[in-house]
PDB file of all heavy atoms in Angstrom:
ATOM      1  N   ASN A  21      64.271 -15.269  -4.060  1.00  0.00           N
ATOM      2  CA  ASN A  21      63.492 -15.532  -5.290  1.00  0.00           C
ATOM      3  C   ASN A  21      64.351 -15.098  -6.549  1.00  0.00           C
ATOM      4  O   ASN A  21      64.272 -15.799  -7.575  1.00  0.00           O
ATOM      5  CB  ASN A  21      62.202 -14.755  -5.269  1.00  0.00           C
ATOM      6  CG  ASN A  21      61.195 -15.363  -4.290  1.00  0.00           C
ATOM      7  OD1 ASN A  21      61.322 -16.548  -3.952  1.00  0.00           O
ATOM      8  ND2 ASN A  21      60.196 -14.619  -3.919  1.00  0.00           N
ATOM      9  N   ILE A  36      67.508 -29.512 -36.432  1.00  0.00           N
ATOM     10  CA  ILE A  36      67.158 -29.644 -37.859  1.00  0.00           C
ATOM     11  C   ILE A  36      67.170 -31.131 -38.188  1.00  0.00           C
ATOM     12  O   ILE A  36      68.098 -31.826 -37.905  1.00  0.00           O
ATOM     13  CB  ILE A  36      68.146 -28.866 -38.717  1.00  0.00           C
ATOM     14  CG1 ILE A  36      68.163 -27.428 -38.377  1.00  0.00           C
ATOM     15  CG2 ILE A  36      67.792 -29.050 -40.188  1.00  0.00           C
ATOM     16  CD1 ILE A  36      69.163 -26.594 -39.089  1.00  0.00           C
ATOM     17  N   ALA A  40      65.565 -32.174 -43.625  1.00  0.00           N
ATOM     18  CA  ALA A  40      65.834 -30.749 -43.881  1.00  0.00           C
ATOM     19  C   ALA A  40      67.272 -30.520 -44.251  1.00  0.00           C
ATOM     20  O   ALA A  40      67.572 -29.721 -45.194  1.00  0.00           O
ATOM     21  CB  ALA A  40      65.500 -29.929 -42.676  1.00  0.00           C
ATOM     22  N   ILE A  41      68.176 -31.252 -43.631  1.00  0.00           N
ATOM     23  CA  ILE A  41      69.596 -31.114 -44.038  1.00  0.00           C
ATOM     24  C   ILE A  41      69.812 -31.601 -45.445  1.00  0.00           C
ATOM     25  O   ILE A  41      70.536 -31.030 -46.210  1.00  0.00           O
ATOM     26  CB  ILE A  41      70.469 -31.919 -43.033  1.00  0.00           C
ATOM     27  CG1 ILE A  41      70.404 -31.254 -41.655  1.00  0.00           C
ATOM     28  CG2 ILE A  41      71.907 -32.035 -43.495  1.00  0.00           C
ATOM     29  CD1 ILE A  41      71.064 -32.030 -40.554  1.00  0.00           C
ATOM     30  N   MET A  49      68.050 -27.842 -56.155  1.00  0.00           N
ATOM     31  CA  MET A  49      67.042 -26.960 -55.639  1.00  0.00           C
ATOM     32  C   MET A  49      67.542 -25.537 -55.422  1.00  0.00           C
ATOM     33  O   MET A  49      66.916 -24.589 -55.784  1.00  0.00           O
ATOM     34  CB  MET A  49      66.500 -27.508 -54.300  1.00  0.00           C
ATOM     35  CG  MET A  49      65.744 -28.770 -54.379  1.00  0.00           C
ATOM     36  SD  MET A  49      64.049 -28.370 -54.777  1.00  0.00           S
ATOM     37  CE  MET A  49      63.292 -29.906 -54.402  1.00  0.00           C
ATOM     38  N   ARG A  53      66.395 -22.134 -57.414  1.00  0.00           N
ATOM     39  CA  ARG A  53      65.856 -21.053 -56.612  1.00  0.00           C
ATOM     40  C   ARG A  53      66.668 -19.775 -56.807  1.00  0.00           C
ATOM     41  O   ARG A  53      66.124 -18.679 -56.928  1.00  0.00           O
ATOM     42  CB  ARG A  53      65.844 -21.417 -55.146  1.00  0.00           C
ATOM     43  CG  ARG A  53      65.249 -20.371 -54.267  1.00  0.00           C
ATOM     44  CD  ARG A  53      64.890 -20.929 -52.885  1.00  0.00           C
ATOM     45  NE  ARG A  53      64.321 -19.958 -52.028  1.00  0.00           N
ATOM     46  CZ  ARG A  53      63.093 -19.546 -52.010  1.00  0.00           C
ATOM     47  NH1 ARG A  53      62.217 -20.091 -52.868  1.00  0.00           N
ATOM     48  NH2 ARG A  53      62.624 -18.629 -51.210  1.00  0.00           N
ATOM     49  N   GLU A  55      68.344 -18.941 -59.466  1.00  0.00           N
ATOM     50  CA  GLU A  55      68.064 -18.403 -60.796  1.00  0.00           C
ATOM     51  C   GLU A  55      66.708 -17.673 -60.759  1.00  0.00           C
ATOM     52  O   GLU A  55      66.569 -16.584 -61.367  1.00  0.00           O
ATOM     53  CB  GLU A  55      67.999 -19.544 -61.792  1.00  0.00           C
ATOM     54  CG  GLU A  55      69.364 -20.135 -62.105  1.00  0.00           C
ATOM     55  CD  GLU A  55      69.315 -21.383 -62.968  1.00  0.00           C
ATOM     56  OE1 GLU A  55      68.171 -21.742 -63.410  1.00  0.00           O
ATOM     57  OE2 GLU A  55      70.327 -21.970 -63.251  1.00  0.00           O
ATOM     58  N   LYS A  56      65.719 -18.266 -60.098  1.00  0.00           N
ATOM     59  CA  LYS A  56      64.410 -17.608 -60.032  1.00  0.00           C
ATOM     60  C   LYS A  56      64.481 -16.257 -59.241  1.00  0.00           C
ATOM     61  O   LYS A  56      63.881 -15.295 -59.742  1.00  0.00           O
ATOM     62  CB  LYS A  56      63.451 -18.558 -59.336  1.00  0.00           C
ATOM     63  CG  LYS A  56      61.999 -18.094 -59.340  1.00  0.00           C
ATOM     64  CD  LYS A  56      61.098 -19.141 -58.779  1.00  0.00           C
ATOM     65  CE  LYS A  56      59.636 -18.665 -58.822  1.00  0.00           C
ATOM     66  NZ  LYS A  56      58.725 -19.678 -58.335  1.00  0.00           N
ATOM     67  N   GLN A  63      63.923  -8.114 -62.886  1.00  0.00           N
ATOM     68  CA  GLN A  63      62.638  -7.594 -63.288  1.00  0.00           C
ATOM     69  C   GLN A  63      62.206  -6.454 -62.381  1.00  0.00           C
ATOM     70  O   GLN A  63      61.660  -5.438 -62.900  1.00  0.00           O
ATOM     71  CB  GLN A  63      61.552  -8.671 -63.271  1.00  0.00           C
ATOM     72  CG  GLN A  63      61.657  -9.667 -64.376  1.00  0.00           C
ATOM     73  CD  GLN A  63      60.608 -10.773 -64.311  1.00  0.00           C
ATOM     74  OE1 GLN A  63      59.817 -10.767 -63.374  1.00  0.00           O
ATOM     75  NE2 GLN A  63      60.587 -11.659 -65.266  1.00  0.00           N
ATOM     76  N   PRO A  73      47.262 -11.505 -60.206  1.00  0.00           N
ATOM     77  CA  PRO A  73      46.395 -11.757 -59.042  1.00  0.00           C
ATOM     78  C   PRO A  73      45.558 -13.011 -59.129  1.00  0.00           C
ATOM     79  O   PRO A  73      45.299 -13.674 -58.137  1.00  0.00           O
ATOM     80  CB  PRO A  73      45.464 -10.497 -58.970  1.00  0.00           C
ATOM     81  CG  PRO A  73      45.671  -9.813 -60.256  1.00  0.00           C
ATOM     82  CD  PRO A  73      46.938 -10.262 -60.866  1.00  0.00           C
ATOM     83  N   ASN A  82      44.054 -23.426 -53.706  1.00  0.00           N
ATOM     84  CA  ASN A  82      44.573 -24.817 -53.687  1.00  0.00           C
ATOM     85  C   ASN A  82      45.287 -25.137 -52.365  1.00  0.00           C
ATOM     86  O   ASN A  82      45.161 -26.279 -51.881  1.00  0.00           O
ATOM     87  CB  ASN A  82      45.593 -24.946 -54.845  1.00  0.00           C
ATOM     88  CG  ASN A  82      44.911 -24.977 -56.192  1.00  0.00           C
ATOM     89  OD1 ASN A  82      43.722 -25.260 -56.288  1.00  0.00           O
ATOM     90  ND2 ASN A  82      45.662 -24.642 -57.234  1.00  0.00           N
TER      91      ASN A  82
END
Side-chain angles (χ1 to χ4, degrees):
N21 286 340
I36 301 175
I41 292 172
M49 293 275 197
R53 183 163 178 83
E55 290 173 3
K56 187 174 182 178
Q63 288 178 356
N82 290 338

